[in-house]
Amino acid sequence: MFTASPADIPGTFQEIAANTMRNEEFDGYKALRISPKDTLVFFTRFNFLRTNVNGFSPRIIEPGYVTQSVRELKHRDPMLEMITYIATGILLLMIFYSLAAYVQYLNIEFIYYSAYAFCSGLLLFSKSYLNMDHTAFNFFYEEYLDFILLCTGAFFYLIFVRNFLNSKVQYPFLDKLLRIARIVLVLLLSVFSAIYFFTEQYVTLLVLENYVIKVFLCMIGILFIVYSFRKKS
């Protein structure tokens, strides 16, 4: 952030000193000081995240209310948070059940299902736990890692369905569809990762994520449902 006097902005323009409130709780906040009867203009410079969750909502808060402000910002919907944590707990139970079933029956599909449940649970938990955190890891998570977790879970679920239904023997067409879907998904995620790590093309990432990969996964789901109804199984 920068500050200047409105009477002489070019001559008084200067960066605000390092944040004295910088700690785990107040990260992302800036301490501002204005002398009595003084008038200042504040400027901000941003490095936007390559995600559609960017937001700018400036507030001037007394120091004594910062803790409450952080709490309200991170926990805007307690009911939604509670439902998210309950869903995460259910997925954790599914992981334990799948691992126990694998130990008992030695069917590899239970390992794939537990991997799917792990990715889904970690995605839900992280979304709620890291909400509004002003940290480098959360920025990376919002830009890249959350979508990779989603697609990795879908990848393991495709393997689980193929093994669980024994589609190679029972449903050859479905088996071919699932194998092709996995290969295409890996290729799309490789392109997505290359664009993320080696370019600054946010629009390309946005289109690839929301209008190519997610639509592709949705189409696979629709084809699977239609095929199931046709086979009546």
Side-chain angles (χ1 to χ4, degrees):
M1 290 188 67
F2 305 86
T3 184
S5 171
D8 183 18
I9 292 180
T12 59
F13 188 85
Q14 60 180 345
E15 185 175 359
I16 297 177
N19 195 355
T20 57
M21 301 173 62
R22 185 175 179 83
N23 56 49
E24 183 178 352
E25 183 178 11
F26 302 135
D27 205 7
Y29 285 71
K30 196 79 171 180
L32 306 177
R33 292 178 176 82
I34 304 177
S35 302
K37 299 182 180 181
D38 195 5
T39 302
L40 293 175
V41 179
F42 293 98
F43 301 86
T44 55
R45 181 177 63 197
F46 298 98
N47 294 318
F48 286 103
L49 301 181
R50 285 178 290 176
T51 175
N52 56 3
V53 299
N54 282 301
F56 178 55
S57 181
R59 294 178 176 88
I60 297 178
I61 305 168
E62 289 285 343
Y65 294 99
V66 174
T67 301
Q68 181 179 351
S69 173
V70 173
R71 187 180 302 113
E72 291 179 353
L73 194 64
K74 284 184 63 65
H75 307 287
R76 289 176 292 183
D77 194 339
M79 181 59 69
L80 180 60
E81 281 194 354
M82 183 182 68
I83 294 174
T84 301
Y85 288 134
I86 290 175
T88 302
I90 293 174
L91 288 170
L92 182 61
L93 291 176
M94 292 167 62
I95 294 173
F96 291 150
Y97 171 80
S98 299
L99 294 177
Y102 172 75
V103 171
Q104 184 174 2
Y105 302 108
L106 297 179
N107 291 335
I108 191 63
E109 57 263 28
F110 290 112
I111 294 295
Y112 295 132
Y113 190 84
S114 63
Y116 155 73
F118 174 78
C119 291
S120 300
L122 184 60
L123 175 67
L124 290 175
F125 177 80
S126 301
K127 272 291 186 182
S128 185
Y129 183 77
L130 296 175
N131 181 41
M132 301 302 292
D133 273 7
H134 191 80
T135 61
F137 177 77
N138 189 36
F139 299 158
F140 173 71
Y141 179 83
E142 290 289 350
E143 287 182 339
Y144 177 78
L145 191 57
D146 61 341
F147 183 63
I148 295 300
L149 280 174
L150 173 67
C151 293
T152 302
F155 178 83
F156 281 115
Y157 190 78
L158 292 174
I159 302 176
F160 161 74
V161 170
R162 183 168 177 261
N163 283 268
F164 185 75
L165 297 179
N166 193 20
S167 59
K168 187 175 182 179
V169 176
Q170 300 291 335
Y171 311 103
F173 174 78
L174 179 62
D175 183 76
K176 184 177 181 180
L177 176 66
L178 294 175
R179 285 190 288 109
I180 293 175
R182 282 163 41 205
I183 295 172
V184 173
L185 181 59
V186 170
L187 292 175
L188 289 174
L189 289 180
S190 299
V191 174
F192 181 85
S193 299
I195 295 174
Y196 175 81
F197 287 108
F198 301 111
T199 74
E200 297 292 335
Q201 299 297 322
Y202 164 65
V203 175
T204 305
L205 283 176
L206 179 68
V207 172
L208 186 60
E209 175 184 347
N210 295 284
Y211 302 105
V212 178
I213 300 179
K214 288 183 178 178
V215 171
F216 170 73
L217 292 175
C218 183
M219 290 177 58
I220 293 300
I222 293 174
L223 288 174
F224 179 78
I225 293 173
V226 172
Y227 184 82
S228 300
F229 274 109
R230 290 187 62 183
K231 291 294 182 178
K232 300 185 184 303
S233 58

